[in-house]
Amino acid sequence: MINVKGLEKAYGSNKVLNGIDIEIAKGEVVVVIGPSGSGKSTFLRCLNLLEQPTGGDIEFDGISLLKGKQDINRLRQRMGMVFQQFNLFPHMTVLKNITLAPLKLRKLNGEQADKVARDLLRRIGLADKADSFPGQLSGGQKQRIAIARALAMSPDVMLFDEPTSALDPEMVGEVLDVMKELAAEGMTMVVVTHEMGFAREVGTRLIFMDGGKIVEQGKPAEVFANPQHPRTQDFLRKVL
Ligand code: ADP
Ligand code: MG
């Protein structure tokens, strides 16, 4: 589904991604780990062109995102993204937060968009929060709403950038549960996280990044049990 070839990103003379190669198949849950500053967020942001790569290529269903003219809005509709800081619109109700993009970009009518939103809210256990404002919700609830908002566009891929890092510990589980369910339903996901339990349980592949490169990858249980690269060993010693 996604084929990344020699992906590079530099900010001025600072090379942040140094040639990332990865193919992601439909239904995979790729978990990305690595030290702070290793380029994990930049990699995700390049995938949906929130950042413009400075080298290499990304193909999505066989079509290059970087060569020729692409409809960036259509691409972003196919890739949902969830951030550490929920980025909900504070002056809009939960329902409005979720229906805004589908109304504008999916060309759903009001009734259709409301139904999509209410179905999603039910699925994440927050049906009763449709008319609440983000400020009235807990962090865990806000993040579940942010996931629902991304899903309302009916994406083919979901990108998560440390979705539980800003949460109080007791709220991490409810967000991971929503993500687990999504994975079980077959959603293709790329997840940057420090939640090693989630990586082990849900990840179909674990990627360790350092210095803007993929240093090591494999089945999560295998990488955890038997990391090959000294940097992976060093990192895992600190986090496990
Ligand atoms: P990670 O998510 O693994 O912590 P990032 O992708 O956020 O790493 O950052 C990788 C490097 O890129 C860091 O050194 C960071 O300072 C740099 N960087 C990220 N975004 C920008 C930006 N917009 N402008 C300049 N440098 C940036
Ligand atoms: Mg980051």
Side-chain angles (χ1 to χ4, degrees):
M1 179 181 259
I2 302 173
N3 190 0
V4 177
K5 294 185 281 197
L7 183 67
E8 295 178 8
K9 174 68 182 177
Y11 295 103
S13 61
N14 184 16
K15 289 189 98 182
V16 173
L17 298 181
N18 291 298
I20 304 269
D21 295 283
I22 182 173
E23 281 187 53
I24 300 171
K26 194 166 158 36
E28 270 200 86
V29 178
V30 176
V31 175
V32 182
I33 62 171
S36 178
S38 58
K40 305 180 298 296
S41 295
T42 305
F43 171 55
L44 278 196
R45 294 166 63 83
C46 280
L47 281 183
N48 67 356
L49 301 186
L50 280 177
E51 298 285 352
Q52 186 65 31
T54 47
D57 198 9
I58 304 167
E59 286 177 0
F60 194 25
D61 279 344
I63 296 166
S64 168
L65 304 184
L66 302 178
K67 298 179 189 134
K69 259 199 174 317
Q70 289 305 320
D71 183 340
I72 284 197
N73 282 325
R74 264 203 61 190
L75 166 74
R76 295 226 180 95
Q77 284 171 41
R78 300 188 58 193
M79 295 203 200
M81 182 139 180
V82 174
F83 303 88
Q84 184 173 335
Q85 303 294 343
F86 333 110
N87 296 349
L88 295 176
F89 301 110
H91 58 292
M92 292 180 189
T93 64
V94 162
L95 194 72
K96 192 77 201 135
N97 263 281
I98 300 175
T99 56
L100 187 69
L103 284 171
K104 262 206 182 135
L105 300 169
R106 265 182 89 187
K107 310 274 189 252
L108 299 186
N109 67 35
E111 202 176 316
Q112 291 166 327
D114 272 19
K115 181 173 179 342
V116 167
R118 288 186 193 279
D119 285 348
L120 284 166
L121 284 172
R122 207 169 306 121
R123 216 166 112 190
I124 60 170
L126 293 175
D128 58 331
K129 300 295 184 194
D131 300 318
S132 300
F133 286 87
Q136 299 170 305
L137 305 175
S138 72
Q141 290 172 333
K142 277 190 257 200
Q143 193 58 302
R144 283 146 72 197
I145 301 292
I147 294 172
R149 180 175 62 174
L151 290 174
M153 291 303 288
S154 196
D156 298 314
V157 183
M158 286 284 285
L159 310 176
F160 293 88
D161 194 357
E162 300 198 27
T164 59
S165 293
L167 299 177
D168 291 333
E170 73 270 24
M171 290 169 188
V172 169
E174 67 193 62
V175 172
L176 294 180
D177 283 346
V178 170
M179 294 168 63
K180 277 179 207 171
E181 205 171 295
L182 205 52
E185 288 164 9
M187 177 63 80
T188 309
M189 297 164 55
V190 185
V191 184
V192 176
T193 187
H194 299 296
E195 294 293 329
M196 299 299 153
F198 176 87
R200 188 190 296 270
E201 194 184 327
V202 184
T204 56
R205 192 159 25 139
L206 186 71
I207 304 279
F208 174 70
M209 279 182 70
D210 195 24
K213 276 183 178 305
I214 295 176
V215 169
E216 182 163 353
Q217 59 176 305
K219 285 202 173 27
E222 286 170 15
V223 176
F224 286 137
N226 193 15
Q228 298 297 308
H229 197 286
R231 298 217 188 175
T232 320
Q233 293 165 358
D234 186 50
F235 179 79
L236 290 178
R237 206 174 304 124
K238 286 175 187 149
V239 299
L240 285 181

